[in-house]
Structures are given as C-alpha cells and as structure tokens.
Amino acid sequence: MSKTRRNRNWYGMMDKDGFIRRSWMKNQGFPDHAFDGRPVIGICNTWSELTPCNSGLRDLAEAVKRGVWEAGGFPVEFPVMSLGETQMKPTAMLFRNLLAMDVEESIRAYGIDGAVLLGGCDKTTPGQLMGAASVDLPTIVVSSGPMLNGKWKGKDLGSGTDVRKFATAVKAGEMTLKDFMDTESGMSRSKGVCMTMGTASTMSSLVEVMGMALPTNGALPAVDARRAALAHMTGNRIVDMVKEDLKISDIMTKENFENAIITNAALGGSTNAVIHLLALAGRIGIDLSLDDFEVGAEIPLLVNCMPSGKYLMEDFCYAGGVPAVLQELKNHLRSAKTVLGGDISAYYEEAECYNRDVIYSLPSPLKPAAGLRVLRGNLAPNGAIVKPSAASDYLLEHTGPAYVFENIEDLKANIDRDDLPVNKDTILVLKGCGPKGYPGMPEVGDMPIPAKLVKQGVRDMVRVSDARMSGTAFGTVILHVAPEANAGGPLALVKSGDMICVSVSDGSLELLVEEAVLEERRKDWSPEPPHYERGYAKLYIDTVLQADKGADLNFLVGKDTRPVTRESH
C-alpha cells in the first residue's frame, strides 16, 4: 500500500475503520484488489434532469470510468448539487457558492486522490472549480458540451439570443405569437448547454484555455462521440496526474488567468466570466482584480458566434474550436502549465482554422478591441463592466437622463407603460439586483426595451444596473456596478432625470449630480429589508462579497489543504 496516497487513510488501514470502509464499498461488487493502493478517482457529477444542460453527464461519467480503470485507477462517482440556470428561482447564481461548498466538503471528506469535475451549465463549472481549488487535489474538468444548432423554418436558432430577439419582435408586431411559440421546440434539439457563446460555452472554453481540461473540451457538441472519447482520455489522464501529484495550484497561475481574459475577448465571451474568474482566483490565492481584465481590452473579436456574431458553437467546433483561436493569439499568450504537464502551446501548435467566416484571423478580425471594458466613476467607485462586442458602437459614448426602476418588480410592472417618460436617449437604471439585494445578482441587467420605443424602431439603449446579464444577451448594457445599491453604493442615490455620462473609451461612468446633493439624498436613504431571513439565503446575504471581488462568501475565500485525521466511529 502506498504511504503517500491520500486514500490510504480511508482504505489501507488494517483496523476497524478500514474494515468498515472497505466492507461497505464491497457491497457494490468491488473486488479486493480495487483497494490495493491504486489511485482512487472521484467523479464529481452535476447530472440532473432539472439541469437540462448537464443531462448527458451520466454517459460521460461512464466514459471517464472506462478511462480510469484502463489506466489502473479506481473510479468512484458521487453527486453534488446541480444548478439549472434556466430552471432555478430566484437565480442559479445565488447557489453557485453553495455548490462550491458541496464540492469542497465532498472532496475533503471522501478518500479520493484526484477528481474529475463533470459540469457544464453556467454556474456548475465555476462552482465546482472553486470548491475543488479549496482542497487542491489533482483535478481535471470535462464539460457537458453545447447542444446542436437550433433549427426553425430552415434557419439556425441560437439559445437565449434568438429568444430575446423574437420576444422583442412579438412586442413590435413583427412576429406572431404562434411563430414565437413554434420556435420553442426547435431551439433545444439535443442534450447540452446553450449553443451560443453564452456563459456555459464561455466557461468550458476558458477551462480549456487555462489548462484545466484537455484540448477540444470547449466546443465539441454534447452528442458528438468525440466528447465521450475525450471523457475516456480524461479518465486516463487523471490517474497519471495523481501519480505526478499535479494539483490545481500547480496549473492555475496568474498567467493562466491572463490567458483566459485574453481569449475571452477573442471569443466574444460572457461578461459572467469576470465574476467567476475573480471568485476562482480568490480560492487559489491569486491576486486578480478588475484592473487585470484590461489585459484583454485591445484584443479583437475573432469568433463570429452569437451573441456577438451570427454562428453557433457547432459551427465553431467544425471551424477549429478553441485551439484554432489560440493559434491566432499565440503571440499574446503567456507560457502556462496545463493538466498535460507541459505548456499551453501544446494545445494549439498543430491547430488549423477550417472556416474563416467563423474564426477570423488576427490581422483581419471581426471587430477591433473587443475585450470587456471596466468602467469607473462616481456611479461605480469599485467598477462596472460592459461588453463592447455585443453593444451598439454609437452608444458607447453617451450622455442622457436616467429613468430609474427601484427593483425588479418596479421594472416588470412599468416597463411597457404607454406613458413611460423615456426616449431613445434615456439611460435605464435598475437597482436592487446585486449580490445582497436580489439576492444572488440575477441576469436581468439587459432590461427589455420599453414597448413604446420598440414600436418606434428602437432596439438598443444604455442600461445600467448592479445585476448581471446572460452570456447569450446583447446590447449596450453596463453591469456589476459596485458597490451595489443595497450595500449603499452610489447607484442607490440615482433619481429619474439625473444625467449620466458613459464613456467606454475613457473607462468612465459618471453621475452628473453635485456631491452635496448626493450627500443629502444619502441621509434619507435606507436599504430594502432582506428578502430572506433564514437558511442558506440568509448566510449568503450576510457574508457575500461584492461583484468586484467575485461574489464569493467571505469565509470561503482561500483554501484548506490540511489532512482530515478524526474518525467517524
């Protein structure tokens, strides 16, 4: 029996405690030699029928197991909380940190030497990685993969992106309700995550870029046999990672995060990558701040996928996927280690692009300087973000009067009023949707265009909030304003009619109101009472960090790699 492997303290003990653990595991048919000291690999599965994005993970788990057995390991699958982005209320983001706690404590408590994280839906990938990073065992990711392209009347449909376009078209009288409802069944044609470059596909691509998954993890469709083969090879590789003691902290350095930020710009990736990367860095102990995201500000948009372009993830895969993008960016990338043990250059050194209408070249990009931009000013002292590649160029420098919605209920009740006092130059402001305020910071920052303006042909406006937006969304939307309104940030003091100035070129977001006036308003301000007063939600509200810190819980930042020594019997 190895004296170095972690599982020895569970299965290698020739006493009552070792007897109990081995005996109970044997009721599943495992033979004696499964406990001979070989690497025990935990397969951390977020499969759930309530998380359609992850509904194919049962099959991938079996492929991982085959790979583990083949490499001489002992695979054991265990479930953790599954976060169905499209199914959970009030928002899946409220539970990302709870998933991270579940993953962390499960990995710590069980006698495993390494972990394979099976996720895919928006919050499952970062939540699993956050939890695993806080234990810091050898770990690798296999994502569920995107759905096949949506189809309707001979046209491709994109998850989320087209839903928003069609809903606006119905409001404008340009699409019938029947046609709108007919697109529903054609939108999601297979297992897998959104097939646009939404948060799920962004994060599965970025874990590949950061070296935490094998090459091609980001774009292979969920139902493509090559994804099962990838899972098999991942099972092979994690066994070797345990033998090499190649841990998360050995792989995920500051350079890996910078590569993710740079590549996210080229992908037209989700704004949610900001909050997840910040939280993950906090677990690993890397000093990452909003300022670091400026490293991608001048990187051009190369990938022509919705919502920033016209194609979908299936097309992106066939065009060459993440390796082809890294090949274009190679002179911008940092040298960084991967789960293969070598440099990230091995992921792209032989990569080719097979369709230049899907993946553009660096000298001839789809859009210049497409990286996420950080805005600061008296309205967002700790920062806010905007995604220029999905915005309207003419609104990236804009000054206009605010129209304020105090909370989501106010927005839903009044946004389509015929007498709403707004025009195309108005800046819509939404409060009460930050980490504490909602709680959980939902994807409502891309407020709908008021019906009266939709009928006039308006399709974009500047919108400002302390919320997030879906990675499938688009528009000139300023998000993650920090501090949030419910934490007493300046956003709480904005009133309808106040002038706001946005300058993406200057990186500024200013409320054009005298400081003395704001001080008077602050004297009369008090936060809304919390929406939850018990359970996990109360714990979340009481301890959640602001968006610029990743919205993790303050007591979860960092890691604890101490061995567990106390016994249960």
Side-chain angles (χ1 to χ4, degrees), residues 373-446:
R373 295 301 305 270
V374 177
L375 307 180
R376 297 183 189 274
N378 69 345
L379 189 50
N382 295 345
I385 60 169
V386 65
K387 182 178 179 179
S389 68
S392 300
D393 290 342
Y394 70 94
L395 289 174
L396 295 177
E397 308 293 323
H398 183 76
T399 300
Y403 185 83
V404 176
F405 298 100
E406 293 294 333
N407 51 46
I408 194 65
E409 288 76 23
D410 184 9
L411 172 75
K412 291 187 173 182
N414 295 296
I415 189 69
D416 289 333
R417 276 176 30 211
D418 289 337
D419 62 345
L420 195 71
V422 296
N423 59 43
K424 63 181 180 61
D425 296 320
T426 301
I427 294 178
L428 302 180
V429 175
L430 175 61
K431 304 177 184 179
C433 295
K436 292 180 180 292
Y438 202 74
M441 206 180 174
E443 296 181 342
V444 296
D446 57 320

Side-chain angles (χ1 to χ4, degrees), residues 253-260 334-336:
T253 62
K254 182 71 173 281
E255 289 78 14
N256 294 81
F257 282 87
E258 290 174 342
N259 285 342
R334 284 67 167 135
S335 178

Side-chain angles (χ1 to χ4, degrees), residues 372-558:
L372 302 177
R373 295 301 305 270
V374 177
L375 307 180
R376 297 183 189 274
N378 69 345
L379 189 50
N382 295 345
I385 60 169
V386 65
K387 182 178 179 179
S389 68
S392 300
D393 290 342
Y394 70 94
L395 289 174
L396 295 177
E397 308 293 323
H398 183 76
T399 300
Y403 185 83
V404 176
F405 298 100
E406 293 294 333
N407 51 46
I408 194 65
E409 288 76 23
D410 184 9
L411 172 75
K412 291 187 173 182
N414 295 296
I415 189 69
D416 289 333
R417 276 176 30 211
D418 289 337
D419 62 345
L420 195 71
V422 296
N423 59 43
K424 63 181 180 61
D425 296 320
T426 301
I427 294 178
L428 302 180
V429 175
L430 175 61
K431 304 177 184 179
C433 295
K436 292 180 180 292
Y438 202 74
M441 206 180 174
E443 296 181 342
V444 296
D446 57 320
M447 293 166 257
I449 305 300
K452 63 179 285 186
L453 298 183
V454 169
K455 293 170 184 175
Q456 296 172 20
V458 176
R459 291 295 181 269
D460 196 10
M461 301 171 70
V462 175
R463 287 156 278 179
V464 178
S465 75
D466 47 14
R468 298 178 300 112
M469 75 174 181
S470 168
T472 69
F474 52 90
T476 311
V477 185
I478 298 168
L479 303 153
H480 306 191
V481 171
E484 65 175 295
N486 277 55
L491 186 68
L493 308 179
V494 182
K495 292 188 176 183
S496 293
D498 289 348
M499 296 299 289
I500 295 175
C501 179
V502 178
S503 176
V504 173
S505 63
D506 291 341
S508 65
L509 179 62
E510 297 288 342
L511 178 61
L512 305 182
V513 175
E514 294 290 335
E515 187 60 33
V517 174
L518 296 178
E519 283 302 314
E520 286 301 314
R521 291 181 186 178
R522 185 171 295 282
K523 292 175 183 177
D524 296 328
W525 175 82
S526 60
E528 286 189 358
H531 290 266
Y532 295 88
E533 295 185 342
R534 64 174 302 279
Y536 169 74
K538 175 175 170 37
L539 176 68
Y540 179 96
I541 293 168
D542 289 347
T543 63
V544 70
L545 299 170
Q546 287 295 288
D548 62 303
K549 302 296 184 183
D552 201 356
L553 305 187
N554 58 20
F555 62 89
L556 292 177
V557 175

